[in-house]
Amino acid sequence: DKNLRKLSAAYLTSLPFDGFAIGGSLGRDSAELLELLVFLMPLLPTEKPNHLLGIGDVPSIEGAVPLGVDTFDSTFPTRNARHGSLLLRNNGNINNGTSTRSVNVLRAEYSSNFSPPCTECECALCANHTFSYLHHLFKANEPNAVTLAATHNLHHMGWLMGEKRKAILRNEI
């Protein structure tokens, strides 16, 4: 209910908090989430950090940062890693809404792909291993598969937020 959110924002912003968190029911999909943020973000102070609870998928981040959301928390990168999904840079271009693509390393095509998952990434997976090695680890149920994939996905999210930060400093967002 937008009216309740408006009342809540008015009350909470009158208190001396260091920042604000946005949570609760945030919509059924990214479109509804962004619609809610378009309504809500102008009601929150821009000089204090605004955190989006439980949201951390790339499309939501790419939509929410320009609206004034500063931080996120989510199991998205590690949960996807447990299922063999790697987040990869999409030509390094974050301004067209497609900064990230996802690949499932469990697919057979990665069993013979001897290239690193992401040549621009400096994480332990990309610096030392190949798609085929990670594919093998997952197929062999080696715990290190999840560790490497999760570490990579977290590294990717750090890169993504760093790029967003640079774009903000350049006044592009």
Side-chain angles (χ1 to χ4, degrees):
D1 182 322
K2 287 184 178 179
N3 191 43
L4 289 176
R5 288 205 183 258
K6 186 175 183 179
L7 290 171
S8 177
Y11 175 71
L12 292 173
T13 57
S14 72
L15 300 174
F17 288 122
D18 294 329
F20 297 93
I22 303 159
S25 177
L26 298 172
R28 291 180 296 238
D29 54 31
S30 289
E32 286 187 11
L33 167 65
L34 294 178
E35 179 185 331
L36 174 66
L37 292 175
V38 165
F39 168 78
L40 188 59
M41 294 310 296
L43 304 176
L44 299 177
T46 57
E47 69 277 2
K48 294 184 178 185
N50 293 300
H51 179 80
L52 192 54
L53 294 164
I55 303 295
D57 61 284
V58 175
S60 294
I61 288 174
E62 289 181 338
V65 167
L67 297 174
V69 176
D70 301 298
T71 58
F72 304 83
D73 69 273
S74 174
T75 62
F76 174 78
T78 53
R79 182 184 62 241
N80 281 9
R82 286 194 305 271
H83 299 286
S85 182
L86 294 180
L87 302 173
L88 301 178
R89 297 180 194 186
N90 196 12
N91 300 324
N93 183 352
I94 70 162
N95 295 319
N96 65 3
T98 59
S99 67
T100 299
R101 62 188 173 94
S102 180
V103 300
N104 189 331
V105 75
L106 298 173
R107 293 175 52 121
E109 65 191 86
Y110 294 106
S111 68
S112 58
N113 185 332
F114 298 103
S115 61
C118 183
T119 57
E120 298 93 4
C121 181
E122 298 173 356
C123 78
L125 172 63
C126 296
N128 301 303
H129 305 293
T130 64
F131 276 118
S132 61
Y133 178 68
L134 187 60
H135 174 88
H136 159 74
L137 291 177
F138 270 106
K139 291 298 184 176
N141 292 317
E142 289 286 342
N144 200 31
V146 174
T147 300
L148 287 169
T151 302
H152 166 79
N153 282 356
L154 291 170
H155 192 273
H156 178 85
M157 296 303 287
W159 164 80
L160 176 65
M161 292 308 294
E163 292 299 306
K164 293 293 181 189
R165 189 176 307 113
K166 289 176 194 173
I168 290 168
L169 292 173
R170 291 189 305 261
N171 291 321
E172 295 173 3
I173 295 179

